């Protein structure tokens, strides 16, 4: 009893001395976020507030609020606000402000301000364009990295196939290829011939956007590409199927699958001066994608398991690896931004999306709701996944935000749309200019 | 038990002697630390342990004796705390030990030593003695003899203490008041009381010392402050998970934020802005007024 007391007293002294010796005046409080909220941001048109500026401000607002990170507040000023105006803004809880003003040559100038300091963080001008929303996208695309240190999806488009039934031909179905803005708005037809056009994919040449797709003909399914003016050319026209061209980030190397008239589908690798078959088995090898290094191919094949599984193959070393073969896996999509692979895997009879971190070799399920998700594609920023959700015979395109884990529909529920392909960021907005 | 143990002494007596020796040694170490390491800093600390229930945590409460001030304050706080401890253990030595404080001319040094001894050691000793007394026959009563020795000293001491009569009259008054306070603190130390104690006693200089000397209570306060900050800290979704923004804050005496500067930016404007916004919304507690903090905002 007494010993325990002496021991405890000794312990207390030791603790106390320890505390005293290591106590520090400079206290750092570590605080972790338990909740999230949107950041209020002022968007102001300075000077002339005509319809053009209103429209641009409206689209910029829509863009900034798309990811649920900002709440845009509007207030217009005749000139750039004074210090007292900034103080009022700060008192109202606004920390950031964007000022838009019409420029002489039809362009729009933007200025991003830190309200509490107050000082201008950066400014710039959007390209002059007769289509106002493109100017707004340009502004949003410039401002977004300053705010979040991430690339925005605003200056991109999503290509997809839309299933149509021509009037008077009930037995025949047609699939056209359309381009829509990143949020599904302003869809316009790019390929509208009287056949089935599927599996679009974009090239990587920033100056010359091209869309590759497979066109079903009477003899085969050929690989065709088109520019945004609608000029088409055939890229691969072997017997059987020629499908799903995937480019490396450099744009010089590509891989696609073709059956060449045989029963099985094999993968073919294309590089400057090189065209070679990289698989040779009795199974069906399909949906190849090239990694950023340009030599690693991720693809689906049923040659080993009898059902589609996910594999990787190094073109140089011949190294072959299994990525996921424990269940039915299809439609891989590679993101160079996040160095990860998205794919669809059957879980409880429903195809759900998974993301495979290539560096860590970990798989993560990202969707859990109803509906089979297929044909996923990454946004160039690596924060969004577009995919087709098939339910009761119809397919609808949705965008899943990996930032907020929320899904947004891109196409209308009455439409039957599939095969989304997210464009990279081109130097010009990929607008359809059919002759 | 001990080799030098004389034959006459019983085991219990030896044990008692051993404990006294140990406690003396401990106090020597304590004094050494205070006077050598801290260069005889004249603000000794005081601590209180809650042992009302075995499951309850032991809580250290800071007691500060502002030495440069009047003798009243110096005597009040330690007496109060010691009395609360003693009250629990049914021992009444404080009356014995208060007088030596009055006698000793060096208030700071003399006051600190006996306080600790009263709070921690005499109580267990006397419990032992009480238990030991009934069992042996009357002959084994001698152990209390050494205890009686201090009594004559007290009588001697009391005589010089009579001179400052006005001071001695005031002393008995403060004793009951702090006892009530301690009843609250021992059972459940409310954070608010601890804050009030510190803020009430705090001069500018002394408050800084408290930060050094009483980190356990401050840790609880900082926890409360952390909770307050984290309730206001709401960054936007979708940013990288490893972001961190450090903001240093200087509070004015009235609690307003004098300065808030981003020490280490996260590199993401929105994140830094959210952190700054959170700083503005924080309701700082009273004890934090006039202090400086660095807050690391994490995801």
């Amino acid at each position: 009893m007494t010993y325990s007391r002496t021991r405890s007293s000794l312990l207390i002294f030791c603790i106390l001395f320890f505390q005293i010796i290591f106590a520090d005046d400079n206290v750092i409080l570590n605080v972790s976020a338990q909740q999230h909220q949107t950041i209020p941001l002022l968007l102001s048109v300075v000077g002339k507030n005509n319809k053009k500026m209103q429209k641009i401000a409206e689209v910029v607002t829509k863009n900034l609020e798309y990811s649920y990170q900002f709440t845009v507040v509007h207030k217009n000023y005749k000139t750039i606000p004074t210090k007292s105006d900034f103080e009022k803004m700060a008192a109202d809880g606004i920390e950031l402000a964007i000022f838009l003003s019409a420029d002489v040559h039809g362009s729009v100038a933007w200025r991003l301000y830190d309200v509490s300091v107050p000082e201008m963080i950066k400014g710039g001008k959007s390209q002059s364009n007769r289509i106002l929303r493109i100017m707004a996208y340009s502004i949003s695309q410039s401002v977004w990295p300053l705010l979040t240190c991430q690339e925005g999806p605003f200056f991109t488009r999503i290509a997809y196939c839309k299933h149509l039934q021509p009037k008077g031909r009930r037995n025949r179905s047609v699939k056209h290829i359309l381009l829509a803005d990143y949020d599904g708005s302003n869809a316009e037809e790019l390929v509208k011939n009287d056949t089935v056009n599927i599996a679009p994919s974009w090239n990587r040449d920033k100056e010359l956007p091209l869309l590759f797709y497979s066109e079903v003909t009477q003899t085969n399914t050929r690989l065709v590409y088109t520019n945004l003016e609608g000029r088409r050319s055939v890229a691969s026209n072997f017997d059987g199927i020629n499908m799903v061209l995937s480019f490396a980030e450099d744009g010089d190397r590509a891989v696609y699958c073709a059956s060449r008239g045989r029963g099985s589908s094999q993968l073919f690798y294309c590089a400057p001066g090189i065209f070679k078959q990289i698989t040779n088995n009795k199974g069906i090898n399909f949906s190849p994608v090239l990694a950023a290094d340009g030599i690693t191919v991720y693809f689906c094949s049923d040659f080993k398991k009898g059902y589609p599984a996910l594999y990787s193959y190094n073109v140089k070393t011949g190294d072959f690896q299994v990525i996921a073969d424990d269940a039915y896996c299809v439609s891989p999509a590679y993101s160079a931004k996040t160095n990860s692979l998205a794919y669809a895997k059957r879980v409880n009879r429903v195809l759900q999306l998974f993301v495979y971190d290539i560096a860590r070799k970990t798989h993560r399920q990202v969707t859990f709701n109803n509906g089979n998700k297929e044909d996923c594609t990454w946004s160039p920023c690596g924060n969004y996944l577009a995919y087709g959700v098939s339910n009761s015979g119809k397919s609808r395109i949705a965008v899943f935000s990996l930032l907020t884990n929320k899904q947004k529909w891109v196409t209308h529920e009455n439409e039957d749309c599939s095969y989304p392909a997210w464009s990279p960021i081109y130097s010009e907005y990929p607008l359809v200019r059919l002759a | 038990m001990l080799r030098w143990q004389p034959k006459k002494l019983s085991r219990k007596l030896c044990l008692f002697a051993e404990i006294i020796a140990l406690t003396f040694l401990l106090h020597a170490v304590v004094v050494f630390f205070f006077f050598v390491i801290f260069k005889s800093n004249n603000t000794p600390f005081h601590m209180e342990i809650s042992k009302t229930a075995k499951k309850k945590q032991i809580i250290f409460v800071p007691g500060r004796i502002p030495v440069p001030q009047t003798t009243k304050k110096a005597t009040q706080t330690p007496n109060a705390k010691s009395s609360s401890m003693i009250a629990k253990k049914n021992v009444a030595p404080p009356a014995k030990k208060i007088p030596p404080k009055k006698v000793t001319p060096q208030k700071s040094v003399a006051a600190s030593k006996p306080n600790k001894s009263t709070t921690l050691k005499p109580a267990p000793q006397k419990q032992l003695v009480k238990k030991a007394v009934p069992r042996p026959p009357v002959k084994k009563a001698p152990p209390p003899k050494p205890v009686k020795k201090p009594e004559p000293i007290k009588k001697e001491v009391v005589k010089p203490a009579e001179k400052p009569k006005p001071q001695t009259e005031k002393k008995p008054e403060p004793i009951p008041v702090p006892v009530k306070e301690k009843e609250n603190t021992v059972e459940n130390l409310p954070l608010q009381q601890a804050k009030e104690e510190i803020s009430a006693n705090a001069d500018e200089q002394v408050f800084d010392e408290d930060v050094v000397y009483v980190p356990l209570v401050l840790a609880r306060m900082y926890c409360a402050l952390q909770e307050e900050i984290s309730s206001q800290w709401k960054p936007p979704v979708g940013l990288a998970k490893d972001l961190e923004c450090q903001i240093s804050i200087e509070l004015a005496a009235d609690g307003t934020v004098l300065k808030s500067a981003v020490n280490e930016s996260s590199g993401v404007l929105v994140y830094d802005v959210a952190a700054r916004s959170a700083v503005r919304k924080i309701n700082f507690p009273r004890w934090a007024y006039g202090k400086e903090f660095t807050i690391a905002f994490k995801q």
Side-chain angles (χ1 to χ4, degrees), chain B residues 100-119:
Chain B
K101 291 175 196 170
K102 299 167 192 171
V103 176
T104 50
Q106 294 175 352
K107 291 167 189 172
S108 63
V109 178
S112 64
K113 288 179 185 175
N115 283 336
K116 288 169 191 172
S117 64
T118 51
T119 52

Side-chain angles (χ1 to χ4, degrees), chain A residues 16, chain B residues 34 43-48 60-65 77-85 111-112 115-116 118-119 182 213-214:
Chain A
L16 208 59
Chain B
F34 270 87
T43 55
F45 64 87
H46 187 87
M47 61 185 181
E48 185 173 331
F60 293 90
V61 182
R64 187 181 46 75
I65 305 166
T77 47
N79 285 339
K81 286 172 183 178
S82 62
S83 62
S84 71
M85 292 294 294
S112 64
N115 283 336
K116 288 169 191 172
T118 51
T119 52
K182 270 148 207 175
Y213 279 86
V214 200

Side-chain angles (χ1 to χ4, degrees), chain A residues 312-328:
Chain A
S312 74
Y313 177 76
N314 191 301
V315 176
K316 255 189 180 176
T317 61
D319 184 29
F320 177 82
Q321 283 183 356
V322 178
I323 303 296
D325 67 347
D326 55 334
Y328 183 98

Side-chain angles (χ1 to χ4, degrees), chain A residues 345 347 352-355 363-369:
Chain A
K345 182 176 170 179
V347 179
Q352 299 288 4
L353 290 186
F354 283 71
V355 172
H363 298 261
R364 179 169 65 98
Q365 186 175 347
V366 292
T367 61
F368 298 87
N369 53 353

Side-chain angles (χ1 to χ4, degrees), chain B residues 31-272:
Chain B
V31 172
F32 173 79
F33 266 96
F34 270 87
F35 289 91
V36 177
I37 293 181
F38 298 106
K39 295 176 184 176
S40 69
N41 200 331
N42 51 7
T43 55
F45 64 87
H46 187 87
M47 61 185 181
E48 185 173 331
I49 305 161
S50 74
K51 285 182 178 174
T52 51
K54 287 180 183 177
K55 290 178 184 176
K56 283 189 177 180
Q57 290 180 340
I58 294 172
I59 300 164
F60 293 90
V61 182
R64 187 181 46 75
I65 305 166
V67 178
Q69 294 176 3
T70 57
T71 52
K72 294 176 192 175
K73 286 182 181 176
T75 51
Q76 279 173 10
T77 47
N79 285 339
K81 286 172 183 178
S82 62
S83 62
S84 71
M85 292 294 294
I86 291 153
K88 282 184 177 181
K89 292 164 185 173
N90 300 322
V91 185
K96 295 174 185 175
K97 295 187 177 179
I98 293 166
K101 291 175 196 170
K102 299 167 192 171
V103 176
T104 50
Q106 294 175 352
K107 291 167 189 172
S108 63
V109 178
S112 64
K113 288 179 185 175
N115 283 336
K116 288 169 191 172
S117 64
T118 51
T119 52
L120 290 174
K121 289 168 188 176
Q125 285 168 9
K126 289 200 172 181
Q127 280 179 348
L128 270 179
V129 172
K130 282 177 183 176
K131 288 174 185 175
V133 168
R135 288 180 185 174
V138 185
K139 288 179 182 177
K140 290 184 180 178
K145 283 179 183 176
V147 181
K148 287 177 182 176
K149 285 176 184 175
E151 289 179 7
I153 297 167
K154 283 175 195 170
K155 287 173 186 175
E156 292 171 7
V157 169
V158 172
K159 288 174 185 176
E162 286 173 358
K163 293 175 184 176
K165 279 183 181 176
Q167 287 182 355
T168 51
E169 287 175 358
K170 288 176 185 176
K171 283 168 191 171
E173 292 175 358
I175 293 170
V177 178
V179 168
K180 288 176 185 174
E181 288 176 2
K182 270 148 207 175
E183 283 173 359
N184 292 331
T185 54
V186 168
E187 288 176 6
N188 258 327
L189 175 72
L191 181 67
Q192 201 60 32
Q193 277 190 8
K195 287 178 189 176
E196 283 169 7
E197 263 189 40
I198 283 190
S199 58
N201 292 335
D203 300 329
E204 285 181 3
Q205 295 173 349
V206 178
F207 194 84
D208 288 339
E209 288 167 4
D210 279 347
V211 177
V212 178
Y213 279 86
V214 200
L216 282 172
V217 168
L218 279 184
R220 293 187 72 204
M221 293 174 169
Y222 284 128
C223 281
L225 180 57
Q226 262 180 326
E227 280 175 18
E228 165 64 16
I229 298 167
S230 63
S231 69
Q232 303 295 347
W233 169 225
K234 296 169 188 171
V237 290
L239 300 177
K241 288 178 181 175
D242 56 347
L243 295 179
E244 184 180 330
C245 172
Q246 281 195 9
I247 296 184
S248 61
I249 302 161
E250 192 180 331
L251 294 178
D254 60 348
T256 54
V257 179
L258 272 183
K259 278 182 187 176
S260 70
V262 178
N263 282 356
E264 281 183 29
S265 170
S266 64
V268 179
L269 180 63
V270 178
Y271 196 82
D272 292 353

Side-chain angles (χ1 to χ4, degrees), chain A residues 404-421:
Chain A
T404 58
N405 290 336
K406 283 180 182 173
Q407 178 182 283
K408 281 187 176 182
W409 295 109
V410 170
T411 57
H412 196 268
E413 61 182 337
N414 295 333
E415 296 172 343
D416 183 8
C417 302
S418 55
Y419 291 109

